Amino acid sequence: MNMRNQWPVLPIVAGLASGLLTGCGTQTGGSDGDGSTVVLGMSDDVLATDPASGYDPGSWMLFNNVFQSLLSFPKGGTVPEPDAAKDCSFTDQQTKVYRCTLKDGLTFSNGDDLTSEDVKFSFDRMLKINDDNGPAVMFPMLDKVETPDARTVVFTLNVPDATFPSKLASGAGSIVDHEEYDADSLREDGGAVGSGPYKLDSFDDDQAVFSVNENYRGTAADAQNKGVTLKFFGGDQKALKKSLLDGDIDIAYRGLTAGDIADIDAATDTEGAEVVEGSSAEVQHLVFNTDDPVAGKLGVRRAIAHLIDREALIRDVYEGTADPLYSIIPAGIAGHNTAFFDRYGASPSPAKAAAALKDEGLTGKVKLTLWSTPSRYGPATDQELKAVAAQLNASGLFDADVKSVPFDQYEKDIAAGKYGVYVKGWVPDFPDADNFTAPFFGEGNVLANNYTNKTITGTLIPRTAAQSDRTATDADYSTLQDIVAEELPVLPIWQAKQYAVVGENVYGLENCLDASTVFRFWELSKG
């Protein structure tokens, strides 16, 4: 499965991040903006302009700005609010029937009316095409979409899912014009017609050009710029850095290493480029194959959990650009607890690790290979895994090494069960605890680590999915995390921070970096 959740970490220098939440990049736009076009550079590609296909960070950035969804996430918020819809709600206690009423007078950027027919068409089309690289995988619960009238949409689910509104608010909920898209196949001309705050004027391998959509009627604030140009650097960090320093781009978003940013800071004065830091729900875990002859032993996994020094990894490898993570659900997401801290503590304990191995009947050093992939989860992943191996070996209890393979081979080998311990990164599709638990521990989980727990799959996941009051799920999510901490199919390592580097007189970026993962073009301005 191709998941947008596999989003690489791009670390920054810790000293630069602190104290830079005010300054040129973090003021609100409005009167400060002069209506200029903002030029944004990033290392990610946009793999699709058609919402039935794209399931990657770059594509969802495009979708969130060009297309409208029934609901959307407000800046800084994790609870979806009406956007194209006037109102939405579950009409049954089982959270299986969800009804939305559209706003009056909605139109697409080409002037076509947006009605309930377009909403139904968008979901039916996505599910019918079922593209391997698309978001249809998020909607196995969707049974049918009905349109009683031009302004009403009724979604019927085959199982309860209280997180359905959050899924609608994500890029997967993008509404397309039924007159502009084929019901059976993907659009391949690089064009896009939506009803969001921006229009896609052009798209090629080098850049995408957006202008303000004057027909937009939604909850996004008035655009603080007259357009955005998104330049693609295809992983060329040196070119991205040079473009920022030369003033060819206004913002570098994702793609600069810690060293790059240190150079930028040294090369510019206080009125030049600055780092803007925001919150993130991106996480990284070590994953254990529970069928592996070594990692499959609970005592081995517990010994590793007692020896990992997250603080040292954050300090030495990531230079303060992440936070230690002691839970499956990250901080800032309802349901978060500290199960792994409570069970294993923060400081390494060789004595407790040795006891765990002894209880397993293991004597002598445990030979172990940690599997990594060099760039998919960021340029420091191999370095991180080597540091983990060094921590294990320093205890005298392990003989651990690291092997790194290209991502395509990495995924094939994981699916084939060849690895005992491997690394996975995750950025949520939507900011709800469900998206950090059901994909990892539900039926057919995406980790391919052969772990299952009947209490989690049979009781906790279904019960939390059916609970429309998300605050009422905290106890169940706490229980789930406690179970995972005891059985250790995964070991959470860190939670990332988002960042970008901005040039002089660029504003509003802090409103683009939050746990919703929505990068809001309309918040950016130059002045």
Side-chain angles (χ1 to χ4, degrees):
M1 182 186 305
N2 292 317
M3 299 293 290
R4 73 182 291 267
N5 312 71
Q6 297 161 341
W7 196 348
V9 172
L10 303 167
I12 60 173
V13 176
L16 296 177
S18 61
L20 288 177
L21 296 182
T22 60
C24 76
T26 57
Q27 298 175 19
T28 303
S31 60
D32 290 327
D34 63 3
S36 298
T37 294
V38 176
V39 183
L40 175 69
M42 70 175 188
S43 61
D44 295 307
D45 293 321
V46 171
L47 300 181
T49 62
D50 188 328
S53 177
Y55 202 21
D56 60 277
S59 297
W60 278 36
M61 178 188 283
L62 184 151
F63 300 160
N64 286 326
N65 288 283
V66 171
F67 296 95
Q68 206 172 6
S69 298
L70 291 168
L71 307 169
S72 62
F73 293 107
K75 60 184 178 184
T78 58
V79 178
E81 297 179 350
D83 192 349
K86 178 181 178 182
D87 56 70
C88 291
S89 64
F90 283 102
T91 61
D92 66 327
Q93 293 184 343
Q94 290 75 39
T95 62
K96 291 178 67 175
V97 181
Y98 196 68
R99 185 185 185 96
C100 292
T101 303
L102 294 174
K103 292 176 179 174
D104 290 323
L106 293 174
T107 61
F108 290 99
S109 59
N110 62 2
D112 289 351
D113 290 339
L114 191 163
T115 70
S116 60
E117 179 182 4
D118 297 293
V119 179
K120 174 177 170 56
F121 174 84
S122 299
F123 283 89
D124 289 349
R125 173 179 183 267
M126 174 182 60
L127 294 175
K128 183 175 183 179
I129 293 174
N130 195 23
D131 186 72
D132 289 341
N133 299 311
V137 66
M138 289 177 60
F139 295 97
M141 81 300 293
L142 183 53
D143 182 30
K144 60 182 177 180
V145 185
E146 297 175 292
T147 55
D149 57 57
R151 293 183 57 226
T152 305
V153 186
V154 179
F155 300 90
T156 301
L157 313 183
N158 49 41
V159 293
D161 186 1
T163 70
F164 188 70
S166 292
K167 292 168 183 172
L168 291 183
S170 74
S174 299
I175 303 168
V176 302
D177 183 350
H178 77 276
E179 298 284 357
E180 291 278 347
Y181 289 80
D182 187 81
D184 304 305
S185 61
L186 295 173
R187 183 168 182 161
E188 298 180 353
D189 63 355
V193 177
S195 59
Y198 287 81
K199 298 183 294 183
L200 178 63
D201 296 328
S202 65
F203 176 83
D204 57 37
D205 292 341
D206 298 320
Q207 66 179 23
V209 178
F210 304 85
S211 61
V212 174
N213 175 18
E214 301 297 340
N215 291 335
Y216 171 71
R217 287 191 71 248
T219 56
D222 291 339
Q224 302 298 304
N225 54 69
K226 69 177 183 181
V228 173
T229 296
L230 181 58
K231 290 186 176 291
F232 310 126
F233 286 82
D236 189 340
Q237 296 169 339
K238 291 182 179 179
L240 180 60
K241 172 184 171 183
K242 184 176 187 301
S243 290
L244 183 72
L245 290 175
D246 290 347
D248 295 331
I249 61 175
D250 301 307
I251 302 169
Y253 177 59
R254 305 178 56 80
L256 296 178
T257 67
D260 290 331
I261 296 177
D263 290 343
I264 290 170
D265 187 55
T268 56
D269 58 25
T270 56
E271 297 301 319
E274 292 188 12
V275 176
V276 179
E277 180 185 316
S279 61
S280 173
E282 179 177 5
V283 298
Q284 192 192 82
H285 303 323
L286 282 182
V287 182
F288 300 109
N289 179 357
T290 57
D291 282 354
D292 184 79
V294 179
K297 298 181 184 297
L298 180 58
V300 171
R301 303 198 297 274
R302 286 182 173 170
I304 294 171
H306 280 302
L307 294 174
I308 290 290
D309 188 341
R310 294 170 178 82
E311 294 282 358
L313 294 175
I314 299 303
R315 180 188 67 240
D316 300 336
V317 178
Y318 290 102
E319 304 186 59
T321 63
D323 292 314
L325 183 62
Y326 297 96
S327 61
I328 298 303
I329 300 166
I333 303 296
H336 166 80
N337 75 0
T338 55
F340 286 80
F341 179 90
D342 300 339
R343 178 67 175 79
Y344 303 101
S347 300
S349 175
K352 291 180 180 179
L357 293 176
K358 183 178 180 181
D359 289 344
E360 192 69 56
L362 295 171
T363 58
K365 292 185 178 181
V366 176
K367 188 170 180 60
L368 188 71
T369 295
L370 308 179
W371 290 92
S372 180
T373 189
S375 60
R376 181 69 173 191
Y377 306 122
T381 306
D382 286 353
Q383 181 186 351
E384 176 194 350
L385 268 288
K386 290 176 182 177
V388 170
Q391 290 178 358
L392 299 180
N393 293 340
S395 70
L397 301 171
F398 284 85
D399 178 12
D401 65 352
V402 177
K403 293 183 179 178
S404 181
V405 297
F407 184 71
D408 288 348
Q409 187 63 43
Y410 185 76
E411 287 290 275
K412 293 176 183 177
D413 289 347
I414 288 173
K418 293 183 178 181
Y419 302 159
V421 186
Y422 47 97
V423 64
K424 281 282 188 178
W426 189 261
V427 169
D429 299 304
F430 52 93
D432 187 279
D434 177 85
N435 202 232
F436 295 92
T437 52
F440 295 165
F441 314 114
E443 299 288 349
N445 77 72
V446 301
L447 298 177
N449 66 337
N450 302 298
Y451 172 76
T452 186
N453 177 285
K454 291 182 179 179
T455 299
I456 293 176
T457 58
T459 301
L460 296 175
I461 288 178
R463 192 159 65 200
T464 54
Q467 178 55 257
S468 58
D469 179 1
R470 301 309 288 160
T471 61
T473 63
D474 287 356
D476 278 343
Y477 280 125
S478 183
T479 299
L480 187 156
Q481 290 174 97
D482 290 344
I483 292 171
V484 173
E486 282 296 312
E487 299 187 348
L488 278 172
V490 301
L491 183 65
I493 303 298
W494 50 250
Q495 177 175 349
K497 303 172 185 177
Q498 287 196 83
Y499 80 95
V501 184
V502 296
E504 189 173 0
N505 299 324
V506 179
Y507 307 104
L509 192 60
E510 79 284 359
N511 294 324
C512 304
L513 307 176
D514 60 35
S516 73
T517 73
V518 176
F519 195 97
R520 302 170 179 87
F521 285 174
W522 58 91
E523 296 285 353
L524 302 173
S525 68
K526 291 170 65 175

